[in-house]
Amino acid sequence: MSKRFKHSPPRWADWFLGLFCNPDLLEQLQGDVHELFYWRVEEKGYSHAKWSFIWDVIRLFRWSNIRRTRKQGQKLNQIGMFKNYFKIGVRNLWKQRMPSAINIIGLSIAVGCSIVAFKFVEFSYVKDNFHKNKEDLFLVTHWEELESNKGRNGATNNELTREILESVPGIKASTRYNRLQLEARVNKQITYNLTHFVDPAYLEMFTFELQAGNPKTLNSADQVVIDESTAIRLFGEQSALDQSIELKIGEEWKVFSVGAVYKDKPHNGSLQLGILVNYQHFEQHLSKLGQDDWSTNFFIQRQAGIQPELLLESMDKLLPIYNKDNEDGAYSNFELEPITTMANNAYEMSNSIGSAPNKAPILTLSAIAVFMLLLSTLNYVNISLAMIMKRLKEIGVRKVVGSPRRQLIIQFLCENLLLCLLSMFVGLLLAQGLFLPGFNEIAGVSFQLNLLSHQNFLIFLAALLLFISLASGLYPAVVASSYKPISILRKATQRGGRRILSSVFLTFQMILAMVTIVAAVMFVYANQVNESIEWGYDQHNKLVIGIPESDYRDAFRDVLLADPSVEVIAGTRSNIGQSLNGVQFKNGEVKTYAELFEVGRNYPEVLGLKLVEGRLFDENLESDFRKMLIVNQSFLEDLQLTFDPDGTTVVQDSVEYSIIGVVEDYHYWNPGMEIRGAAMRAIPANLYTSYLVEMREGNIFEHRGRLEEKLQAMVEEKSVYVGIQELMFEGFYDETRGIGNIMIFTASIAILLAAMGLYGLVSINISSQIKDYGIRKVLGASSFNLAKAIVLKFRFVLLLAILVGCPLAVLLVGALVDNVYAYAPGIGVGPLAVAVFILLSVTLFTFNLQIRRVRNMNPAETLRIE
């Protein structure tokens, strides 16, 4: 046998040549390399010919052989072809209105949920990116030695900031940043406002939108800058510009005029406006207090072209001299934190600016968006496969007249793109009109759709459109184009493999629906459990009344004691449920942080704490003011202590305290925070800042209104706070109810999408076997037998969804609930049983819709269909 026929070129290399080569050149180039191959086989052997052939193919892989040149007529033909595809797509959308509407609804809901998730994730992670100089702005931080490790600090010694500005080249501008809660007086009305002390360069370095006034206002020490919200709160509808405002800095009232009003900072901004005051007033305030050494947040703006490394190198050279005089607070080294990452890294440092994103809601919303996308995509695929069965003859005819498979795939993808574009449009409407307003109300934000001015959002929408177009349309398009014309026209299409894959998709939908149902049930249940949880004290019929100033302390007490509806009052400086004060306690080598509350001696008794061991504070014992503590049970456990009536001591800030009593654990904060050690220390009456008032039986809201009116009449310039103790955690409960409502909505949509997917798959089954069901009816099959034949084919789908969905729900939902609640109930048989019942009920209802179709069909009509 001739070597020419005994050996052939490497198949993969020959295939690769056909893949990349221009079809107009393929025959000529392929003939040349084949001829060379056979010549080399005869002259030099097969091994040499094989490698030479591969090398020839590689050399031919160049643009001149790859390029496809098209004539103008071909381009016009392609434009016309795509126009025709979209015309067919519009006609099919109208012809198949019901399945198209189902697909559009499912995808649009998923798009709306994804938009909300994107907005929240972007809001959480993209911070401070609106400043024009963001690339050049840095917060100066440093590393310092702590007791057990190194820690990072976002505040810099004030004197050291002066040294940095004098000794470090390359700094264009800088500002210090400190804040205090100050009393502000306007027209004899006093309010509390967060006030920021900054250097004049603050408004030049950072970008805020000026509403009215002079942007150079901070250059004047007797003028202040306020934002729009502060202006409305202080001056109402009248113009705030040039108005007078008094601020109580320390014990001194200072008069300022408003030199500029800025619009409120963007929601993703970490740096505040509020009231801005020239930094020299903060220096004067501390000087009067005898403090000449303090720390401040220190921001710098580098000069153009200056690398941060050069700045750090110069800064670190100052540390040996500084540390020599400050051994206790020695700095290890400086680090520059870019303004755009400052908030996200806030958890890494003390005295930070901004807040790191809370990952629990981010994960929750992202998971919901992903679930919705998966469910709607799988639902779309199943229904699309059902609709393909009605277009088989069209596909067969197209193939018979010469339409290649690639052309069919492009046509189906174009039709799918049209439907996805409609879904994107409806999804944007849903997000703008329903999802975002609802989420804004729940989360306390103000997200809006800014299509024309939001580049990241446009990129996200484009990526989302590409994903849903390919994920939902590629597989049905490939399936539709894979049928053989002869099989279609002879009605001999093999659908078994596709049915199996559709069943897999449906099973996955059912599993996701099962997980979301369990999540909804668990959040509703967890809300009920947490709202009925024991607080560890009697929170009912109690009011919390703030004392505006020390001058009103005795007057308020006298008015309250004289009121017939008041049972008893107790003074405090840190009311339970309103504030936290974590400090470190020591028991030998054991250290832990615990909450320290400073209260009046009868406060534990009035609050209703439950004594376990020892005693409460005694109003007749002055010694209880001297380093005595009442602690909860967790305090003893954390410090590995056992209560001894004869003396149990702990150390806090080098002071030794004796524990005189132990009470049951109580919720000093909402149930979202796990109870840790807590201690109460008695303080004298002259330190009280509020009163806890126990009321007699009656309407607590009426009691609050009456006392608030009475006390407010005594204080004309200040507002009086009167709160209800049992409503202290209402904000947390409102938030968790909102999450529960979101989960119920998610579960409802998941059930709907799963039901639609099931509807589509059952429809495929019935349409493909319509004659079989007709023959069964002619032979006398009952409605029950027909229903049984339909349902039994999906028994494994439901069984697998339940068997896989239950443990998966326990794993995923359990982790999610534990992330939200500190005291989350376990997922028992009850929630799983409820979820299974809901899933089966919806499934049987969906089956019934199709069974009625079979039961009501006319066998004569079905048997007459060719």
Side-chain angles (χ1 to χ4, degrees), residues 137 165 170-175 201 204-205 298-303:
L137 295 171
L165 293 177
I171 297 177
K172 180 179 180 180
S174 68
T175 181
E204 298 175 5
M205 295 169 59
F298 183 48
F299 293 93
I300 62 171
Q301 179 181 349
R302 65 177 175 178
Q303 294 177 359

Side-chain angles (χ1 to χ4, degrees), residues 522-523 525-530 533 667 671-674 732 813-828:
M522 277 305 301
F523 270 90
Y525 176 53
N527 286 343
Q528 294 175 350
V529 170
N530 278 267
I533 198 170
H667 286 278
M673 178 178 179
E674 188 173 355
F732 170 76
V813 178
L816 182 60
V817 172
D818 288 340
N819 221 327
V820 176
Y821 301 94
Y823 299 93
I827 302 178

Side-chain angles (χ1 to χ4, degrees), residues 99-125:
S100 298
I102 292 174
N103 284 334
I104 290 173
I105 291 172
L107 285 176
S108 61
I109 290 173
V111 168
C113 293
S114 300
I115 288 173
V116 174
F118 169 80
K119 284 285 186 179
F120 187 73
V121 171
E122 184 188 45
F123 169 78
S124 300
Y125 282 103

